[in-house]
């Protein structure tokens, strides 16, 4: 099923691609092209478009979905491809094309929790780590964002802040593996777990990929359509 004219607006952040890269594909294939974990779009997805960034400081180049984005951006290669002159070239392209952000209908924190439950069942993380994660996920924040939130809300409760920092230190490697300059994982905990949560939920696109960029400043987007059939319907340009 495809729904149009939903009159939805969304604060666009993170990764995006060109509409022309997705036209004619169903959600299963789009999920594959974008490098999502299998089944991430099974409940459906909204397709948002937005105006191009105002300048070269509004985005970074993230190559293609063949590379897990954050690993690339933190690597030496990521720095090499993100000169101002190269981003200026891309800006001219982005101003001529329709830009698309695919937003899964299933909330991000629910998908993460499902993922962590599977890790608990596989005995790759402990029940204690899951309990800490549950508190974090309900807040919808990163570990650092959660700590900053608590510091602002309870600035005089040093014991609470210290305990929270200790707890989040136990699970931080699940979110942010330590990388060398080429983007390879060097964190010992990651050797045990295999990879970070982001690399597991957004692995590299192995069966074809699309170009991608990452916004550094959120922008307002409008919904073009919602697709809920995983295989039956395909995205078409309006």
């Amino acid at each position: 099923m495809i729904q149009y004219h939903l009159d939805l607006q969304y604060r666009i952040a993170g990764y995006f691609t060109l509409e022309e890269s997705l036209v004619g594909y169903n959600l299963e294939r789009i999920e594959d092209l974008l490098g999502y974990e299998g089944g991430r779009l099974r409940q459906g997805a909204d397709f948002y478009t937005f105006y191009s960034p105002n300048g070269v400081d509004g985005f970074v180049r993230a190559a293609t979905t063949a590379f897990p984005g954050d690993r690339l951006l933190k690597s030496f290669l990521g720095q090499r491809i993100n000169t101002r002159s190269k981003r200026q070239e891309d800006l001219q392209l982005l101003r001529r094309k329709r830009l698309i952000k695919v937003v899964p209908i299933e909330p991000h924190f629910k998908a993460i929790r499902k993922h962590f439950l599977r890790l608990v069942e596989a005995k790759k993380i402990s029940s204690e780590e899951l309990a800490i994660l549950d508190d974090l996920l309900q807040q919808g924040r990163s570990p650092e964002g959660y700590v900053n939130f608590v510091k602002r809300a309870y600035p005089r409760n040093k014991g609470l802040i210290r305990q929270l920092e200790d707890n989040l230190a136990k699970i931080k490697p699940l979110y942010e593996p330590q990388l060398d300059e080429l983007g390879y994982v060097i964190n010992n905990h990651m050797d045990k777990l295999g990879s970070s949560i982001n690399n597991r939920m957004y692995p590299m696109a192995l069966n074809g990929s699309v170009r991608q960029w990452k916004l550094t400043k959120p922008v307002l987007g409008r919904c073009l359509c919602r697709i809920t059939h995983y295989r039956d319907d395909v995205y078409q340009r309006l």
Side-chain angles (χ1 to χ4, degrees):
M1 179 178 179
I2 304 180
Q3 298 171 266
Y4 300 102
H5 311 299
L6 294 177
D7 194 28
L8 298 176
Q9 291 188 330
Y10 188 78
R11 190 171 172 81
I12 304 295
Y15 294 91
F16 66 93
T17 189
L18 304 178
E19 180 185 56
E20 61 190 34
S21 302
L22 307 179
V23 171
Y25 295 120
N26 63 16
L27 290 180
E28 184 177 34
R29 180 57 177 152
I30 289 173
E31 173 184 272
D32 196 28
L33 288 171
L34 295 180
Y36 278 117
E37 181 182 38
R40 182 68 179 90
L41 301 183
R42 191 172 294 278
Q43 294 186 23
D46 292 333
F47 291 74
Y48 283 84
T49 188
F50 53 97
Y51 292 114
S52 67
N54 289 329
V56 296
D57 294 326
F59 71 99
V60 291
R61 309 173 88 204
T64 77
T65 52
F67 299 93
D70 285 342
R71 287 184 61 181
L72 172 73
L73 294 177
K74 294 175 182 178
S75 70
F76 177 69
L77 174 60
Q79 297 173 22
R80 287 284 300 272
I81 69 172
N82 270 293
T83 63
R84 290 186 69 85
S85 61
K86 291 184 182 297
R87 279 183 281 136
Q88 186 64 49
E89 293 176 6
D90 279 8
L91 183 60
Q92 302 308 313
L93 171 70
L94 298 180
R95 286 173 173 169
R96 299 194 308 268
K97 302 289 186 177
R98 178 180 273 183
L99 312 180
I100 292 291
K101 172 74 175 181
V102 178
V103 180
I105 290 178
E106 181 180 43
H108 183 64
F109 80 91
K110 289 187 177 180
I112 291 180
R113 193 176 194 282
K114 287 181 181 179
H115 182 83
F116 280 129
L117 282 172
R118 292 195 293 270
L119 293 181
V120 171
E121 293 171 358
K123 300 186 183 304
K124 291 187 175 181
I125 67 172
S126 67
S127 298
E128 179 188 8
E129 286 175 313
L130 180 63
I132 296 171
L133 286 162
D134 267 343
D135 192 28
L136 181 66
L137 295 174
Q138 291 299 324
Q139 294 291 328
R141 292 181 168 88
S142 67
E144 290 79 7
Y146 192 23
V147 169
N148 291 334
F149 165 74
V150 172
K151 285 181 177 178
R152 290 194 300 270
Y154 309 98
R156 298 182 180 179
N157 196 331
K158 304 301 182 183
L160 172 65
I161 294 172
R162 184 163 50 252
Q163 183 62 56
L164 178 63
E165 290 175 332
D166 289 344
N167 285 345
L168 294 183
K170 298 177 182 178
I171 62 168
K172 185 176 180 179
L174 297 174
Y175 281 84
E176 300 177 0
Q178 297 176 17
L179 308 175
D180 64 18
E181 65 176 11
L182 296 178
Y184 293 106
V185 176
I186 59 175
N187 184 296
N188 290 334
H189 185 72
M190 288 299 101
D191 292 337
K192 174 183 176 182
L193 183 60
S195 63
S196 73
I197 178 61
N198 280 333
N199 286 341
R200 282 174 169 263
M201 292 189 67
Y202 306 99
M204 66 181 64
L206 297 177
N207 301 310
S209 61
V210 298
R211 297 181 68 179
Q212 67 174 352
W213 296 262
K214 184 177 184 181
L215 290 167
T216 57
K217 300 176 182 179
V219 299
L220 191 64
R222 63 181 179 88
C223 185
L224 293 173
C225 70
R226 169 175 292 177
I227 300 179
T228 52
H229 285 175
Y230 190 53
R231 295 189 175 95
D232 295 343
D233 295 315
V234 300
Y235 179 77
Q236 298 290 350
R237 179 178 174 83
L238 295 179

